């Protein structure tokens, strides 16, 4: 039977490409999203992938969301924790709310989703979890103490949880994307972005599909010996 995969933030940007790639590879996909109803509706119309609305920062909503997906599509065996937000500002200007929102969504969302699906994965003896980190969690970035801390936390979370899943058939890995051509990166001031792109050895922004390809590799049934690892996909910008 086809495995059921949940992709958080799965209707736009990198998440959209992941949802589509998983569907093309034969998975039954549930694309979670938090806010943009119009984009989610358009995504579902074009791809045929159902969109499920809940906020990954809300633990109870994640538990209810996983329950609903399982009732409608079947046991969740693959989770891609991709949902993420930025609230960039220098420390001087960063409000406490900008810290909390980014930590609660980007890192708290990983806990909430994994916790909600973990017992089922343990009981079935199979699971594939991929957490989307960031080059900026590895290297830091000016104006992103919140985002870099959350993404760096994802890499620690991945290594710790992978140890708990290893003997139970559950792999937990991370991907650290570099600068990818998405709405999030388009929001970076153009003069700042130009300087960043100039430092990417491949000479361009990445494509969302290039991250999706890494996800397919990590979630494959044959990937049982790959766990606790981080796959950097960044055009050579940072070698870690
Ligand atoms: N290194 C050193 N100094 C820097 C700098 C840098 N990287 N970036 C900016 N500065 C300096 C500026 O030169 C300026 O100095 P002066 O005051 O002496 O002129 C000062 O910092 C203030 O800069 P800004 O005018 O840009 O300040 P701001 O408050 O308007 O904006 C900012 C600050 C929000 C951080 C803005 O620079 C910004 O958005 N930067 C981009 C941050 C970024 O790369 N975010 C990534 C988003 S995409 C993503 O996160 C996806 C992923 O995983 C890769």
């Amino acid at each position: 039977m086809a495995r059921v995969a949940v992709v958080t933030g799965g209707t736009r940007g990198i998440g959209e490409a992941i949802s589509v790639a998983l569907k093309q590879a034969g998975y039954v996909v549930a694309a979670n999203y938090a806010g943009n109803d119009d984009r989610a509706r358009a995504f579902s119309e074009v791809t045929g992938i159902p969109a499920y609305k809940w906020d990954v920062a809300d633990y109870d909503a994640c538990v209810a969301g996983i329950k609903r997906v399982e009732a409608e599509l079947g046991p969740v065996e693959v989770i891609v924790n991709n949902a993420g937000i930025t609230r960039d500002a220098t420390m001087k200007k960063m409000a406490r709310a900008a810290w909390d929102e980014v930590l609660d969504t980007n890192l708290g969302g990983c806990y909430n989703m994994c916790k909600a699906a973990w017992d089922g994965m343990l009981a079935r003896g199979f699971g594939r979890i991929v957490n989307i980190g960031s080059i900026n969690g590895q290297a830091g970035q000016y104006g992103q103490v919140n985002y870099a801390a959350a993404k760096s936390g994802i890499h620690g979370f991945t290594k710790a949880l992978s140890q708990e899943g290893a003997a139970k058939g559950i792999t937990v890995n991370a991907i650290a994307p570099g600068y990818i051509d998405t709405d999030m990166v388009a929001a970076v001031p153009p003069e700042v972005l130009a300087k960043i792109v100039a430092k990417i050895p491949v000479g361009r922004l990445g494509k969302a599909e290039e991250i999706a390809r890494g996800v397919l590799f990590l979630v494959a049934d044959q990937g049982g010996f790959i766990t606790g690892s981080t796959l950097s996909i960044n055009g050579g910008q940072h070698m870690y």
Side-chain angles (χ1 to χ4, degrees), residues 88 93 134 136 141-144 147 178-179 184 188-189 192 196:
D88 293 355
K93 295 184 192 163
S134 168
N136 293 348
Q141 170 65 315
Y142 190 102
Q144 282 201 311
Y147 187 89
Y179 281 72
M184 182 184 273
V188 174
V192 177
I196 291 169

Side-chain angles (χ1 to χ4, degrees), residues 55-66:
D55 179 356
V56 297
D58 178 339
Y59 176 68
D60 292 337
C62 289
V63 172
I66 291 281

Side-chain angles (χ1 to χ4, degrees), residues 5-226:
V6 177
V7 182
T8 68
T11 62
R12 295 201 293 135
I14 291 174
E16 175 176 9
I18 294 169
S19 296
V20 169
L22 285 169
K23 184 182 178 198
Q24 282 170 355
Y27 293 81
V28 173
V29 180
N32 152 269
Y33 75 103
N36 193 328
D37 294 319
D38 291 342
R39 284 288 291 271
R41 206 172 303 116
F43 162 86
S44 289
E45 274 169 25
V46 171
T47 63
I49 297 170
Y52 290 81
K53 185 174 185 175
W54 75 82
D55 179 356
V56 297
D58 178 339
Y59 176 68
D60 292 337
C62 289
V63 172
I66 291 281
K67 256 199 193 136
R68 203 181 133 209
V69 170
E70 295 202 324
E72 292 177 12
L73 304 180
V76 171
E77 297 185 304
V78 177
I79 292 184
V80 183
N81 285 309
N82 163 78
I85 58 170
T86 53
R87 296 287 182 269
D88 293 355
T90 54
M91 181 59 110
K92 196 171 167 54
K93 295 184 192 163
M94 186 178 288
R96 174 71 203 204
W99 170 265
D100 289 339
E101 281 168 37
V102 169
L103 267 291
D104 289 351
T105 301
N106 298 11
L107 183 56
C110 289
Y111 168 84
N112 293 341
M113 290 296 296
C114 290
K115 177 73 178 162
W118 192 249
D119 285 354
M121 289 183 175
L122 283 177
R124 291 185 295 275
F126 182 88
R128 294 282 182 267
I129 295 170
V130 177
N131 302 315
I132 304 299
S134 168
I135 187 173
N136 293 348
Q138 296 171 313
Q141 170 65 315
Y142 190 102
Q144 282 201 311
V145 294
N146 50 2
Y147 187 89
K151 292 294 188 178
S152 189
I154 283 177
H155 295 302
F157 175 95
T158 299
K159 290 175 196 172
L161 191 59
S162 69
Q163 295 178 27
E164 297 187 23
K168 314 283 182 191
I170 306 169
T171 67
V172 188
N173 292 289
I175 291 182
Y179 281 72
I180 308 300
D181 191 3
T182 59
D183 292 350
M184 182 184 273
V185 167
V188 174
E191 64 287 359
V192 177
L193 188 57
K195 284 187 198 153
I196 291 169
V197 175
K199 289 189 187 143
I200 303 175
V202 169
R204 61 170 173 83
L205 294 175
K207 297 179 194 137
E209 292 73 20
E210 292 173 313
I211 305 302
R213 191 161 168 269
V215 172
L216 285 187
F217 174 72
L218 293 172
V219 302
D221 280 18
Q222 303 91 317
F225 205 59
I226 309 172

